[in-house]
Amino acid sequence: MSTNIDIQESSKDSKGKAVLVAAPARAGGWKKGIAIIDFILRLGAVAAALGAAASMGMSDQTLPFFTQFFQFEASYDSFTAFQFFVITMAIVAGYLVLSLPFSIVAIIRPHATGPRLFLIILDTVFLTLAAASASAAASIVYLAHNGNQDTNWLAICNQFGDFCAQTSGAVVSSFIAVVVLVLLVVMSALAIGKH
Amino acid sequence: MSTNIDIQESSKDSKGKAVLVAAPARAGGWKKGIAIIDFILRLGAVAAALGAAASMGMSDQTLPFFTQFFQFEASYDSFTAFQFFVITMAIVAGYLVLSLPFSIVAIIRPHATGPRLFLIILDTVFLTLAAASASAAASIVYLAHNGNQDTNWLAICNQFGDFCAQTSGAVVSSFIAVVVLVLLVVMSALAIGKH
């Protein structure tokens, strides 16, 4: 009787082990897929951030005429928020390029949480930086388009149409980078959390 | 002999079980500490976000005199970015209050990744929202303080000193909430990632 019970228990044990080994193997494929999507999205974010920085950095319009109240030239140098935008977007793009090797490590080793933890923490920091600079520039672009009656700040987009179009494009591009960074953080969290 | 062997094996089993039970218990204490800090920081973030929304929402200054160029009154209604700020900070504060029960669940069950995953994903989304509205308002506050010569936008803080002080305080408070949210995301990532 006692040996019989022992055999049953050991077979139970091996069953439990088999399930434990099988589960991570299946999850690995799923995590590898997440890591590949992570890499592709990261490339897209690099393009969006670089495009935003370049588009804003090259925004410069000189008017062929001048009035009593307006300057001849508008460039990103005119606004502190736009300077901040160019610098921050360049830094974010640089970080995203440097993060690509870690994303590749996550593809090769889908189970390693180390690179994913490293990426999710730095992604969060640079997401905050990107969101801050994108919306600081967006609020200036909004003012440039609409002005503000209460403070007598006049809209400048009637005069500087090309400048406004270019900076608006840069802001849109930066918000694409922000959305992609949010997706990257959420995906990393899911990949780390689900075992 | 056979019974003897049986006894040895069972003692081995119980040892193995004891180790298995002990290891998570130690890790659990570490995770419980993180969860408690998470709860306290969350309370601080609620206070910072509520303070920011209230301070900005009540910013309103009427001047005792008027000139040809300036209005009599300045309030957060004057700027779209400030309206966005008040709405967003109220939403973030509301979310943080609603997230407190999940933080408590994480304290009671330090091993459950479900509530932490839920929190880290929503924290990331609301962190982005908070950072965006904080810096949009910050760029307007900067303009109000310094003006912009190239576009002929005059600084209004000479006239509306109290208004500027109050909105500046709200922006500082919102950035405190942003920093706390970044810490919350990083801590959640560490708690999920380290087993």
Side-chain angles (χ1 to χ4, degrees):
Chain A
M1 276 295 274
S2 78
T3 36
N4 195 7
I5 289 165
D6 275 344
I7 288 161
Q8 278 186 336
E9 270 188 11
S10 71
S11 78
K12 220 181 188 176
D13 270 4
S14 67
K15 246 191 191 168
K17 271 177 196 165
V19 169
L20 272 171
V21 171
R26 221 186 45 190
W30 175 78
K31 287 193 177 184
K32 209 181 187 100
I34 288 259
I36 291 169
I37 296 171
D38 180 287
F39 183 78
I40 295 167
L41 280 181
R42 222 167 266 276
L43 284 178
V46 170
L50 262 188
S55 172
M56 183 65 89
M58 290 189 293
S59 66
D60 193 2
Q61 188 179 8
T62 308
L63 293 187
F65 60 90
F66 60 96
T67 68
Q68 194 184 346
F69 296 108
F70 289 105
Q71 301 271 322
F72 310 88
E73 196 178 354
S75 81
Y76 78 96
D77 275 332
S78 314
F79 298 92
T80 318
F82 287 174
Q83 293 175 352
F84 174 61
F85 181 91
V86 172
I87 295 166
T88 311
M89 279 298 143
I91 290 173
V92 169
Y95 157 72
L96 284 168
V97 169
L98 291 177
S99 75
L100 287 175
F102 292 92
S103 185
I104 293 170
V105 170
I107 294 175
I108 298 169
R109 295 190 176 188
H111 292 299
T113 49
R116 282 186 202 270
L117 257 185
F118 181 79
L119 282 181
I120 197 173
I121 290 171
L122 286 184
D123 279 357
T124 305
V125 172
F126 284 94
L127 160 65
T128 311
L129 207 62
S133 74
S135 72
S139 78
I140 300 295
V141 165
Y142 180 86
L143 270 185
H145 275 284
N146 299 295
N148 190 309
Q149 285 196 319
D150 291 358
T151 54
N152 242 16
W153 294 346
L154 298 173
I156 59 162
C157 283
N158 300 325
Q159 282 77 36
F160 297 100
D162 291 352
F163 174 71
C164 275
Q166 204 162 353
T167 52
S168 304
V171 168
V172 170
S173 183
S174 70
F175 273 112
I176 292 172
V178 168
V179 169
V180 172
L181 275 166
V182 170
L183 285 178
L184 288 178
V185 171
V186 168
M187 277 176 14
S188 290
L190 288 176
I192 291 174
K194 301 252 177 184
H195 307 299
Chain B
M1 276 298 274
S2 82
T3 35
N4 196 9
I5 290 166
D6 275 345
I7 288 160
Q8 277 186 336
E9 271 187 12
S10 72
S11 76
K12 221 181 189 175
D13 270 4
S14 68
K15 246 191 192 168
K17 272 177 196 167
V19 169
L20 272 171
V21 170
R26 222 184 47 190
W30 176 77
K31 287 192 178 185
K32 207 181 187 97
I34 288 257
I36 291 169
I37 297 171
D38 179 288
F39 184 78
I40 294 167
L41 280 181
R42 222 167 266 277
L43 283 178
V46 170
L50 262 188
S55 172
M56 183 65 89
M58 291 189 292
S59 65
D60 191 3
Q61 189 179 7
T62 309
L63 291 187
F65 59 91
F66 60 96
T67 69
Q68 194 184 348
F69 295 110
F70 288 104
Q71 301 271 324
F72 311 88
E73 195 178 353
S75 81
Y76 79 97
D77 275 332
S78 314
F79 298 92
T80 318
F82 286 174
Q83 293 175 351
F84 174 61
F85 181 91
V86 172
I87 295 167
T88 311
M89 278 298 142
I91 290 174
V92 169
Y95 156 72
L96 284 168
V97 170
L98 291 177
S99 75
L100 287 175
F102 293 91
S103 186
I104 293 171
V105 170
I107 294 175
I108 299 169
R109 295 191 176 187
H111 294 298
T113 49
R116 283 187 201 272
L117 257 185
F118 181 79
L119 283 180
I120 197 174
I121 290 171
L122 286 184
D123 279 356
T124 306
V125 172
F126 284 93
L127 160 65
T128 311
L129 207 62
S133 74
S135 72
S139 80
I140 299 295
V141 165
Y142 180 86
L143 270 184
H145 275 283
N146 299 294
N148 191 310
Q149 285 197 319
D150 291 359
T151 53
N152 240 19
W153 294 346
L154 298 174
I156 59 161
C157 282
N158 301 326
Q159 282 79 33
F160 297 100
D162 291 350
F163 174 72
C164 276
Q166 204 162 355
T167 52
S168 304
V171 167
V172 170
S173 184
S174 69
F175 274 113
I176 292 171
V178 168
V179 169
V180 172
L181 275 166
V182 170
L183 285 178
L184 287 178
V185 172
V186 169
M187 277 178 10
S188 290
L190 287 176
I192 292 175
K194 302 250 176 186
H195 307 298

